[in-house]
Amino acid sequence: MRTLDSSTSLRIAVQKSGRLTDKTINLLEGIGLKFDDYKRSLIVKCLNFDVELLLIRDDDIPEYVEDGVCDLGFVGANVVEEDQADVTVLRGLNYGVCRLSLAARREDNLKTPEDFAGKRIATSYPGITKRFFERNNVDVEVITLSGSVEIAPRLEIADAISDLVSTGSTLKANGLEEVINIFDSETQLIKTIKPLSDGKKGLINKILQRIEGYQKAAQSRYIMMNAPQEAVPKIKTIIPSLKSPTVMPLADNGMVAIHTVVPLSTFWDVMEQLKDAGATGIVMLPIESMIV
Ligand code: ATP
Ligand code: ZN
């Protein structure tokens, strides 16, 4: 059995059980890291890389990374900002997207930061909330709650709340209206600022490159189509491809097969234009990873 050398083995903090857990593990597995059952223990060794995961509460992740107990961490920007943790943000990851918003009962008609003056505001994010009102020179009373913040106005513990929102349905269900978005968040990959061995630095670079390829792939589609040879110049102008498309002759005289990669955001537009240009049998495939 291979033993882990603590100077080269990379320790990564991941939320133990919550909204980010499965998405983070899926990302790590998507870039080729293999793990035993990650639901059962606190430390999970990677089977094919010198990496181990430390599964902890998300609130603890910035501190563990700041102290160098973990080299990397996957955590919401909201938690990093709340703690004002001294860490390096390597990249945003497009999942766990949410915002910290001020919300109040509709009938209270609170609209601007000034309208909240003198109010009691319940939140699990006292740091971000206080700093928001300080920047706006508004005095409020911030009440820190660890959960179920949205029921605080109904219980008359607070006049308003500052809470994480993604769809807004929890607020609505509690008779609250989202008033001001004070912080936009997504999951981030953070790194310790403590010095790291060359082995760890190399591993981090590898992981980062793979994440980049994985994200590019998630945002791209491989498309294949058939078209008359004479349509190729027109088709080339439609495809905003990374490289020039592959064009192969077909057995049918004058027909070619074209293969290329397009950004997902342009896929439907591109497909309609290709059809108009004479392309037929257009097939779209997901891509697992891309090294560009
Ligand atoms: P833990 O037990 O680890 O402390 P938690 O209850 O604090 O868990 P979760 O509710 O699992 O945390 O949320 C984890 C992260 O998911 C949040 O910090 C935030 O970055 C992100 N997130 C995305 N959408 C939402 C949402 N609608 N409500 C709360 N968090 C969200
Ligand atoms: Zn938490």
Side-chain angles (χ1 to χ4, degrees):
M1 212 179 83
R2 197 163 48 106
T3 49
L4 285 169
D5 168 2
S6 68
S7 66
T8 59
S9 148
L10 201 65
R11 192 177 293 147
I12 307 179
V14 173
Q15 188 186 20
K16 177 157 183 54
S17 157
R19 292 170 194 261
L20 307 184
T21 309
D22 287 347
K23 285 182 177 151
T24 302
I25 301 290
N26 286 347
L27 168 64
L28 290 170
E29 288 182 339
I31 63 164
L33 277 64
K34 294 194 171 71
F35 303 98
D36 265 343
D37 188 1
Y38 62 88
K39 302 230 158 141
R40 270 184 295 160
S41 42
L42 192 65
I43 296 185
V44 178
K45 292 197 169 145
C46 176
L47 303 173
N48 57 342
F49 273 93
D50 226 352
V51 165
E52 62 184 16
L53 304 184
L54 188 65
L55 293 153
I56 51 182
R57 289 198 58 191
D58 69 342
D59 314 62
D60 296 333
I61 293 176
E63 201 181 319
Y64 274 60
V65 173
E66 183 173 313
D67 295 348
V69 176
C70 293
D71 307 301
L72 296 179
F74 287 86
V75 66
N78 50 305
V79 182
V80 180
E81 177 70 17
E82 176 65 20
D83 293 1
Q84 303 225 284
D86 202 0
V87 296
T88 306
V89 176
L90 293 179
R91 62 187 300 137
L93 297 164
N94 299 328
Y95 65 90
V97 175
C98 60
R99 54 197 184 272
L100 188 69
S101 284
L102 292 173
R105 282 175 296 236
R106 216 158 289 124
E107 58 272 25
D108 290 349
N109 209 26
L110 303 177
K111 299 287 175 214
T112 67
E114 292 72 28
D115 292 343
F116 288 82
K119 303 283 184 204
R120 293 166 306 163
I121 301 171
T123 186
S124 303
Y125 293 88
I128 303 179
T129 306
K130 280 182 189 159
R131 289 194 290 275
F132 170 80
F133 283 107
E134 277 162 17
R135 277 201 307 280
N136 284 280
N137 294 314
V138 173
D139 273 336
V140 295
E141 187 190 338
V142 172
I143 298 162
T144 306
L145 299 179
S146 60
S148 306
V149 169
E150 65 280 0
I151 58 169
R154 210 171 345 134
L155 299 178
E156 295 182 5
I157 299 168
D159 305 303
I161 66 168
S162 164
D163 203 10
L164 292 176
V165 183
S166 44
T167 60
S169 56
T170 309
L171 291 182
K172 270 205 195 100
N174 286 282
L176 299 172
E177 182 182 40
E178 191 176 352
V179 182
I180 304 171
N181 168 1
I182 63 174
F183 186 77
D184 278 311
S185 187
E186 65 176 338
T187 307
Q188 292 180 330
L189 175 57
I190 58 170
K191 183 176 82 129
T192 188
I193 55 168
K194 300 267 189 243
L196 295 172
S197 68
D198 287 344
K200 284 189 181 186
K201 281 188 203 154
L203 257 176
I204 291 174
N205 280 339
K206 201 170 201 172
I207 287 173
L208 260 181
Q209 271 171 23
R210 288 192 184 191
I211 290 178
E212 208 171 298
Y214 184 83
Q215 287 186 319
K216 278 209 182 97
Q219 289 150 16
S220 307
R221 290 295 179 270
Y222 191 84
I223 58 174
M224 306 189 285
M225 75 207 89
N226 295 339
Q229 174 73 50
E230 64 267 21
V232 172
K234 175 90 194 283
I235 286 176
K236 273 190 176 171
T237 67
I238 297 166
I239 298 169
S241 180
L242 304 165
K243 292 195 184 113
S244 64
T246 309
V247 180
M248 292 163 287
L250 288 177
D252 269 1
N253 226 356
M255 290 294 284
V256 292
I258 302 171
H259 290 200
T260 192
V261 173
V262 297
L264 182 59
S265 55
T266 66
F267 173 75
W268 291 106
D269 273 351
V270 165
M271 199 176 76
E272 281 154 13
Q273 290 177 48
L274 290 172
K275 212 163 152 267
D276 292 343
T280 53
I282 305 170
V283 172
M284 166 182 97
L285 300 169
I287 304 170
E288 217 155 273
S289 192
M290 263 165 81
I291 312 288
V292 201

